[in-house]
Short mmCIF file of all heavy atoms in Angstrom, two decimals:
data_model
loop_
_atom_site.label_atom_id
_atom_site.label_comp_id
_atom_site.label_asym_id
_atom_site.label_seq_id
_atom_site.Cartn_x
_atom_site.Cartn_y
_atom_site.Cartn_z
N ARG B 135 -0.22 -27.32 -49.33
CA ARG B 135 -0.82 -26.29 -50.19
C ARG B 135 -1.74 -26.93 -51.22
O ARG B 135 -2.89 -26.52 -51.40
CB ARG B 135 0.29 -25.50 -50.89
CG ARG B 135 -0.21 -24.27 -51.60
CD ARG B 135 0.94 -23.53 -52.24
NE ARG B 135 0.70 -23.45 -53.66
CZ ARG B 135 1.63 -23.16 -54.56
NH1 ARG B 135 2.88 -22.94 -54.20
NH2 ARG B 135 1.34 -23.08 -55.82
N HIS B 136 -1.23 -27.97 -51.89
CA HIS B 136 -2.00 -28.59 -52.97
C HIS B 136 -3.28 -29.25 -52.42
O HIS B 136 -4.37 -29.04 -52.94
CB HIS B 136 -1.13 -29.62 -53.68
CG HIS B 136 -1.75 -30.18 -54.92
ND1 HIS B 136 -1.68 -29.55 -56.13
CD2 HIS B 136 -2.49 -31.31 -55.13
CE1 HIS B 136 -2.34 -30.26 -57.04
NE2 HIS B 136 -2.83 -31.34 -56.46
N ALA B 137 -3.10 -30.04 -51.34
CA ALA B 137 -4.27 -30.72 -50.77
C ALA B 137 -5.24 -29.70 -50.17
O ALA B 137 -6.46 -29.82 -50.32
CB ALA B 137 -3.83 -31.74 -49.73
N GLY B 138 -4.68 -28.69 -49.53
CA GLY B 138 -5.52 -27.65 -48.92
C GLY B 138 -6.36 -26.92 -49.97
O GLY B 138 -7.55 -26.66 -49.76
N GLU B 139 -5.74 -26.64 -51.10
CA GLU B 139 -6.49 -25.96 -52.18
C GLU B 139 -7.64 -26.83 -52.69
O GLU B 139 -8.72 -26.34 -52.99
CB GLU B 139 -5.55 -25.60 -53.34
CG GLU B 139 -4.68 -24.40 -53.01
CD GLU B 139 -3.60 -24.12 -54.05
OE1 GLU B 139 -3.44 -24.92 -55.00
OE2 GLU B 139 -2.89 -23.11 -53.90
N TRP B 140 -7.38 -28.14 -52.76
CA TRP B 140 -8.46 -29.04 -53.21
C TRP B 140 -9.58 -29.11 -52.18
O TRP B 140 -10.76 -29.17 -52.54
CB TRP B 140 -7.92 -30.44 -53.53
CG TRP B 140 -7.51 -30.54 -54.98
CD1 TRP B 140 -6.25 -30.68 -55.46
CD2 TRP B 140 -8.38 -30.47 -56.12
NE1 TRP B 140 -6.27 -30.72 -56.85
CE2 TRP B 140 -7.56 -30.59 -57.27
CE3 TRP B 140 -9.75 -30.32 -56.30
CZ2 TRP B 140 -8.09 -30.56 -58.57
CZ3 TRP B 140 -10.28 -30.29 -57.59
CH2 TRP B 140 -9.45 -30.40 -58.71
N ILE B 141 -9.20 -29.12 -50.90
CA ILE B 141 -10.24 -29.17 -49.87
C ILE B 141 -11.15 -27.94 -49.98
O ILE B 141 -12.37 -28.04 -49.89
CB ILE B 141 -9.60 -29.28 -48.47
CG1 ILE B 141 -8.92 -30.66 -48.32
CG2 ILE B 141 -10.62 -29.07 -47.35
CD1 ILE B 141 -8.01 -30.79 -47.12
N VAL B 142 -10.54 -26.80 -50.25
CA VAL B 142 -11.33 -25.56 -50.41
C VAL B 142 -12.21 -25.65 -51.66
O VAL B 142 -13.41 -25.35 -51.63
CB VAL B 142 -10.42 -24.32 -50.46
CG1 VAL B 142 -11.21 -23.08 -50.84
CG2 VAL B 142 -9.71 -24.14 -49.12
N ARG B 143 -11.62 -26.11 -52.78
CA ARG B 143 -12.40 -26.22 -54.02
C ARG B 143 -13.59 -27.16 -53.83
O ARG B 143 -14.69 -26.88 -54.30
CB ARG B 143 -11.54 -26.80 -55.14
CG ARG B 143 -10.75 -25.78 -55.87
CD ARG B 143 -10.02 -26.44 -57.05
NE ARG B 143 -8.81 -25.69 -57.27
CZ ARG B 143 -7.58 -26.15 -57.05
NH1 ARG B 143 -7.38 -27.40 -56.66
NH2 ARG B 143 -6.55 -25.38 -57.25
N LEU B 144 -13.33 -28.28 -53.18
CA LEU B 144 -14.40 -29.27 -53.04
C LEU B 144 -15.43 -28.83 -52.00
O LEU B 144 -16.64 -28.97 -52.19
CB LEU B 144 -13.82 -30.64 -52.67
CG LEU B 144 -12.86 -31.25 -53.70
CD1 LEU B 144 -12.28 -32.56 -53.18
CD2 LEU B 144 -13.54 -31.47 -55.05
N GLY B 145 -14.93 -28.28 -50.89
CA GLY B 145 -15.85 -27.83 -49.84
C GLY B 145 -16.71 -26.68 -50.31
O GLY B 145 -17.89 -26.56 -49.96
N ASP B 146 -16.14 -25.82 -51.13
CA ASP B 146 -16.85 -24.65 -51.64
C ASP B 146 -17.03 -24.77 -53.15
O ASP B 146 -16.80 -23.83 -53.90
CB ASP B 146 -16.04 -23.38 -51.29
CG ASP B 146 -16.78 -22.12 -51.70
OD1 ASP B 146 -18.02 -22.12 -51.72
OD2 ASP B 146 -16.09 -21.12 -52.03
N GLY B 147 -17.45 -25.96 -53.60
CA GLY B 147 -17.64 -26.20 -55.03
C GLY B 147 -19.10 -26.40 -55.34
O GLY B 147 -19.89 -25.45 -55.30
N THR B 148 -19.49 -27.63 -55.61
CA THR B 148 -20.90 -27.94 -55.86
C THR B 148 -21.51 -28.53 -54.59
O THR B 148 -20.80 -28.83 -53.62
CB THR B 148 -21.03 -29.00 -56.98
OG1 THR B 148 -20.37 -30.19 -56.54
CG2 THR B 148 -20.39 -28.53 -58.27
N GLU B 149 -22.81 -28.73 -54.63
CA GLU B 149 -23.50 -29.35 -53.49
C GLU B 149 -22.94 -30.75 -53.24
O GLU B 149 -22.68 -31.15 -52.11
CB GLU B 149 -24.99 -29.44 -53.85
CG GLU B 149 -25.91 -29.40 -52.65
CD GLU B 149 -27.36 -29.36 -53.11
OE1 GLU B 149 -27.72 -28.44 -53.89
OE2 GLU B 149 -28.11 -30.26 -52.72
#
Side-chain angles (χ1 to χ4, degrees):
Chain B
R135 190 179 121 197
H136 188 84
E139 284 172 355
W140 270 112
I141 292 168
V142 171
R143 275 185 210 111
L144 298 176
D146 184 29
T148 62
E149 208 174 304

